[in-house]
Amino acid sequence: MKITKLLPFVAVFALLSITSCATDAADDASLNAIEVPVAPDAKEIEIEIMELINAYRINEGLNTLTNNTTVKAVASTHTEYMIEVNNVSHDNFFLRKQSLQANADADVVSENVAYGFSSAESVVNAWIASPGHRDNIVGDYTDFDVSAEQNSNGKWYFTNMFIKR
């Protein structure tokens, strides 16, 4: 048999041996997992924000929310990002949502962001005065947390995230 007649079979065999590799479910899961950093310790302003939000929820006849270190860690990464790019935004929200779904068993995720407020009361009052932000505060959630960081000029950036498990 001539080598030219065997060439198509050799090519098919080579192609099959390259594409026949398979990954198991654990490998697939690790590709989809989003690593969550360790949450920083809560600052006084962050604790005050959470207390004010829970007090508002109680006043509205709603359940209080439980602070969640995974939520805090994810919120913290976004606050640091906003400071780095010097812009308040919801950029890459889908990544934070995926991370909380994978690492905090979240079914529903939302967030409020803010910049420049100098106290917990002022930022919470601004969120309550804004219909969209208020909807998040009074939403059907189980857990939340907040990240507040100052930039090099001393201006505060805030990320407040809510999840329902």
Side-chain angles (χ1 to χ4, degrees):
M1 190 179 245
K2 291 186 175 182
I3 191 84
T4 54
K5 289 185 179 181
L6 287 176
L7 197 52
F9 295 109
V10 172
V12 168
F13 176 75
L15 185 60
L16 288 175
S17 65
I18 291 171
T19 60
S20 66
C21 294
T23 59
D24 60 85
D27 289 341
D28 289 343
S30 68
L31 291 174
N32 293 327
I34 299 169
E35 191 172 322
V36 176
V38 175
D41 291 336
K43 296 175 189 65
E44 186 63 33
I45 192 169
E46 295 166 336
I47 294 167
E48 290 173 18
I49 290 169
M50 291 187 296
E51 288 173 349
L52 288 167
I53 288 173
N54 270 334
Y56 184 80
R57 289 179 61 87
I58 289 168
N59 192 49
E60 295 292 308
L62 302 168
N63 63 301
T64 59
L65 302 175
T66 304
N67 61 310
N68 183 302
T69 57
T70 303
V71 174
K72 177 157 187 65
V74 172
S76 180
T77 62
H78 186 59
T79 303
E80 291 170 7
Y81 166 81
M82 291 190 301
I83 290 171
E84 184 180 316
V85 299
N86 194 32
N87 186 43
V88 179
S89 72
H90 295 284
D91 290 355
N92 305 310
F93 173 73
F94 70 97
L95 293 174
R96 291 186 295 289
K97 180 180 178 182
Q98 286 177 342
S99 178
L100 291 170
Q101 288 170 327
N103 298 293
D105 298 321
D107 291 324
V108 180
V109 179
S110 69
E111 74 180 10
N112 289 339
V113 296
Y115 162 79
F117 295 94
S118 59
S119 70
E121 187 174 27
S122 63
V123 71
V124 171
N125 286 340
W127 283 332
I128 290 170
S130 165
H133 294 99
R134 183 182 176 283
D135 287 348
N136 289 338
I137 289 172
V138 299
D140 183 19
Y141 299 106
T142 56
D143 304 82
F144 76 140
D145 222 305
V146 65
S147 168
E149 296 290 338
Q150 290 178 294
N151 68 8
S152 59
N153 296 325
K155 296 287 185 183
W156 286 98
Y157 285 76
F158 304 89
T159 303
N160 184 200
M161 299 195 74
F162 303 85
I163 67 169
K164 179 179 182 178
R165 294 197 271 172

